[in-house]
Amino acid sequence: MASSGDLYTLMHGDVVAAEVRIDPDSGLIAKLASVLDPDHMPVGTVHDGRPDIARLKEWWSDRSIPMSRGGVGDLLAATGVSDTRALLPGSLGLCLSDRYWIRPAGSGIGWSEANIFDNPFSEDVGDALFCERTSVRNLRSPDVTTEGNLSKRWRVVGGERVLFKGGTGFGQEPFDEAIAARICEALRIPHVDYAVSWVDGRPYSVCPDFITGRTELVTAYRVIMTRRRRNDESLRTHYVKCCADLGIDIVPSLDRMIVLDHIIGNWDRHTNNFGLVRDAETLEWIAPAPIFDSGSSLGCDLPTGEIPHGAGIGSMPFKKRSSDQIALVTSFDWIDFDALESCYPDLERILDSSRGLIDPERRDAIISFIRRRVTDLRILAG
């Protein structure tokens, strides 16, 4: 890769954080020219006032659509590039999770004009990903910077930014999201609300953006970079200490996340789908992020007969086995088992709304799995 490239300003809202050079062919950061405001650099890319160039490059690269995303082949054909990262400069790096973006050198555009929280954004990329368009003219879209492997896109519905996300295989994931949200509601766990919507005969989970133009999500993956991890320190202990340094007692939130994931058998709670919310202007850390992205659960990738006992279901992020991870919970006193019991009819209705994708046998297997996991919790709670 060339050592030089096109000059851009890395912006955090209207704050000038750094100057970078971006390779015009790959779309990647080729050089960090200067850091102008270390406090407003992406979390984890500056240590003791010194920039970590490798982490900044990783942060920017990770902002792109994974090459494994459904529909990427159609998107690449529509844009004429061979890698989704090459689309980042054309989108200005704008997303709906934070205030970071890049401004071409010499451009006078400000955050009020550029941001996609308040201004319209292009649906070209989303259309291409959903095989609805064969050419892309406008890359100013949050679909360029939305992570994850499942088919997904952003739309504006009734003035609200809404994420549509599909499923794979059995097509179960959208219904899993709705089930997880209903269980969170029963247990009073802060969460993003998910519903199932049908588009062209296919189910999608639909949820509003829980981030605003004033706030931003900082994933656990970035939070754990804020302090050095000791060799004898577990990931959970390290994360708790990192959050404590930032003024957040994360333990109650982790307890609730682990309990939910145990109930639904979530095997994909990686460190990019939980984290903290902070004020993007004052940089004040506000609270743990609400629960989101719980679709990889309830044996969604397993044959029906293997679901009830969940023998093939692992866990993340702290332990590979759910029985080991649930042992990390510090208190079960907050669990309302009566509320859990009362939500089963709703869970069955969600599964029955699948228009035959989830047959009665699979529905019963999923409910049996949940009941078994709740029984485990009753035993642990004493």
Side-chain angles (χ1 to χ4, degrees):
M1 181 183 291
S3 60
S4 61
D6 297 332
L7 185 64
Y8 288 84
T9 303
L10 175 60
M11 305 292 295
H12 190 213
D14 277 320
V15 177
V16 177
E19 289 185 331
V20 297
R21 290 196 175 273
I22 294 182
D23 181 86
D25 297 321
S26 68
L28 299 177
I29 292 178
K31 181 179 180 181
L32 175 61
S34 62
V35 173
L36 302 172
D37 194 327
D39 291 340
H40 282 268
M41 289 287 284
V43 173
T45 64
V46 174
H47 293 280
D48 299 323
R50 301 182 62 180
D52 187 318
I53 300 173
R55 286 188 175 180
L56 180 63
K57 289 181 177 181
E58 177 197 47
W59 169 82
W60 179 248
S61 177
D62 287 350
R63 212 165 171 81
S64 64
I65 304 169
M67 290 291 287
S68 54
R69 167 83 63 79
V72 158
D74 295 290
L75 174 62
L76 297 181
T79 54
V81 300
S82 59
D83 192 302
T84 54
R85 294 176 294 186
L87 304 176
L88 285 170
S91 73
L92 301 185
L94 290 161
C95 79
L96 288 171
S97 295
D98 61 40
R99 275 189 162 205
Y100 287 101
W101 60 294
I102 55 171
R103 185 170 68 186
S107 169
I109 187 172
W111 175 247
S112 63
E113 303 164 77
N115 87 83
I116 51 178
F117 289 96
D118 304 310
N119 298 309
F121 55 78
S122 169
E123 294 199 358
D124 287 9
V125 174
D127 286 348
L129 285 168
F130 277 49
C131 308
E132 298 172 5
R133 185 182 292 266
T134 57
S135 64
V136 173
R137 296 182 178 180
N138 189 339
L139 292 173
R140 190 78 66 85
S141 165
D143 294 319
V144 174
T145 52
T146 301
E147 301 177 10
N149 292 320
L150 290 176
S151 176
K152 63 183 69 172
R153 68 174 303 173
W154 288 95
R155 288 186 184 276
V156 179
V157 179
E160 189 172 41
R161 273 64 181 155
V162 174
L163 181 65
F164 287 72
K165 183 167 59 174
T168 60
F170 295 99
Q172 186 180 308
E173 289 91 341
F175 304 95
D176 293 347
E177 293 281 18
I179 285 174
R182 179 65 185 89
I183 292 172
C184 283
E185 180 185 5
L187 294 178
R188 299 185 179 181
I189 297 173
H191 65 284
V192 176
D193 195 24
Y194 285 83
V196 177
S197 180
W198 292 81
V199 180
D200 295 330
R202 296 180 180 179
Y204 293 87
S205 65
V206 180
C207 69
D209 189 7
F210 66 91
I211 294 300
T212 69
R214 176 65 186 259
T215 62
E216 59 190 0
L217 169 68
V218 180
T219 65
Y221 182 75
R222 298 294 161 190
V223 172
I224 61 179
M225 293 181 183
T226 57
R227 66 149 45 206
R228 188 178 299 277
R229 181 179 171 185
R230 290 171 29 181
N231 292 334
D232 62 346
E233 203 167 58
S234 70
L235 177 60
R236 180 188 176 281
T237 298
H238 178 67
Y239 183 57
V240 168
K241 288 182 178 179
C242 291
C243 291
D245 288 347
L246 303 175
I248 301 290
D249 177 10
I250 200 65
V251 172
S253 178
L254 288 183
D255 283 354
R256 285 155 177 77
M257 183 183 79
I258 292 172
V259 164
L260 170 70
D261 286 348
H262 182 79
I263 293 173
I264 64 175
N266 186 353
W267 49 264
D268 195 34
R269 183 68 70 191
H270 53 77
T271 52
N272 275 325
N273 62 19
F274 67 101
L276 304 178
V277 175
R278 74 170 180 173
D279 187 306
E281 294 186 2
T282 67
L283 306 184
E284 176 187 1
W285 296 91
I286 299 172
I291 292 288
F292 66 97
D293 201 358
S294 303
S296 297
S297 56
L298 297 171
C300 63
D301 59 341
L302 295 178
T304 297
E306 296 181 19
I307 293 176
H309 294 283
I313 298 176
S315 70
M316 292 179 72
F318 305 122
K319 298 289 183 180
K320 294 181 179 180
R321 295 194 308 176
S322 186
S323 58
D324 293 331
Q325 184 156 273
I326 196 65
L328 300 174
V329 173
T330 64
S331 172
F332 298 99
D333 294 344
W334 53 274
I335 300 177
D336 186 341
F337 286 102
D338 290 337
L340 276 176
E341 191 67 31
S342 69
C343 75
Y344 285 118
D346 290 338
L347 306 188
E348 292 179 357
R349 278 193 288 270
I350 291 169
L351 295 170
D352 284 339
S353 71
S354 69
R355 301 184 184 179
L357 281 176
I358 300 170
D359 60 32
E361 182 184 3
R362 191 170 183 87
R363 175 203 63 199
D364 293 345
I366 291 168
I367 297 299
S368 177
F369 174 85
I370 295 172
R371 287 187 178 277
R372 186 182 181 91
R373 287 296 179 92
V374 171
T375 297
D376 290 345
L377 286 175
R378 284 186 181 273
I379 294 170
L380 288 170

